[in-house]
Amino acid sequence: MDNDTILECHDVVCTFGGVRAVNEASLSIERGTITGLIGPNGAGKSTLVNAISGHVRLDHGYVAFDGQPITRLRPHQVAERGLVRTFQLASEFPNMTVLENMMTAPHRQAGENFFSAVFSKGRWQREEERHLIEARTLLASFGLQAKEEEYAGNLSGGQKRLLELARALMTRPTMLLLDEPMAGVSGPLIDALADHILRLNRETGLTFLIIEHDLGFMEKVCDRVNVMVNGSVLTHGTMKELREDERVVEAYLS
Ligand SMILES: Nc1ncnc2c1ncn2[C@@H]1O[C@H](COP(=O)(O)OP(=O)(O)OP(=O)(O)O)[C@@H](O)[C@H]1O
């Protein structure tokens, strides 16, 4: 793992009963880049990302993040290290307001511990106020400030994805794993979502790994794209290079 590598997966195998969903998959991601993961349905993309984020157990192989092994960590431990995953289905709490959704994002705060909550109430309140300011600033940067008091369930598909992204940023990640961020997004929010990802990458150096079937979107946002077929990473390159690669065309693009 060289200095610029933030995430490395080596020979990862994940099986469900008899199904080898991920079969000796390896990939390496450079810090500060936007990397794509594409491939046919059932290729093992979500399972590989679940293995990285600690949601699925590896049968073999290893995952290292920021120079440290994370192979056996639980999802919240992986997230605490700054590697945060969003899901294919928007995971907002529909009966809570947009602002309340933001405030439920897990962050390490003094008030979470019962004793520190009782004995340092002032500090806890100050943290809460800081999180509120952070939440409102993030909502404004995603154009959702007017929706603060709206129930999240009433948002459009695209607005839910923006909320999901804003909520993930409350945890101050160094890398985001996005599983099909364009699912359910239509109209002008397609470009808006792509622009937000590019802006976050440029302004904060946030690293992204994105699974997405919308190849136009991938072409717009990704520096490099990995192609997964039958549980393994077949190759990687720019979308332009991949479109010219016969193996990729045969396995996925034809
Ligand atoms: N929890 C599970 N139990 C059993 N089989 C599973 C489970 N999760 C995934 N699989 C199987 O593992 C294989 C890979 O699935 P996975 O969802 O990782 O593929 P994918 O590339 O993300 O597909 P898609 O693009 O359709 O989301 C599939 O055959 C799937 O049916």
Side-chain angles (χ1 to χ4, degrees), residues 89-105:
L89 295 170
S91 52
E92 84 287 345
F93 300 110
N95 298 324
M96 289 168 82
T97 68
V98 165
L99 187 60
E100 285 165 352
N101 266 270
M102 292 293 281
M103 296 301 282
T104 61

Side-chain angles (χ1 to χ4, degrees), residues 16 19 21 39-48 88 180 211 213:
F16 299 109
V19 180
N41 291 122
K45 305 179 296 295
S46 293
T47 308
L48 178 59
Q88 207 163 338
E180 299 202 24
I211 299 178
H213 287 285

Side-chain angles (χ1 to χ4, degrees), residues 90-92 98 101-102 139 142-148 150-167 181-190 192-193 196:
S91 52
E92 84 287 345
V98 165
N101 266 270
M102 292 293 281
L139 287 177
F142 283 91
L144 289 173
Q145 68 274 38
K147 301 284 176 188
E148 192 182 295
E150 185 77 66
Y151 285 115
N154 292 342
L155 298 180
S156 72
Q159 289 168 335
K160 285 179 186 169
R161 302 324 297 247
L162 290 178
L163 172 60
E164 190 180 28
L165 200 51
R167 191 171 170 273
M182 302 302 282
V185 183
S186 58
L189 283 183
I190 293 179
L193 194 54
H196 282 302

Side-chain angles (χ1 to χ4, degrees), residues 40-59:
N41 291 122
K45 305 179 296 295
S46 293
T47 308
L48 178 59
V49 166
N50 281 334
I52 294 168
S53 62
H55 290 88
V56 160
R57 195 180 54 80
L58 280 72
D59 292 291

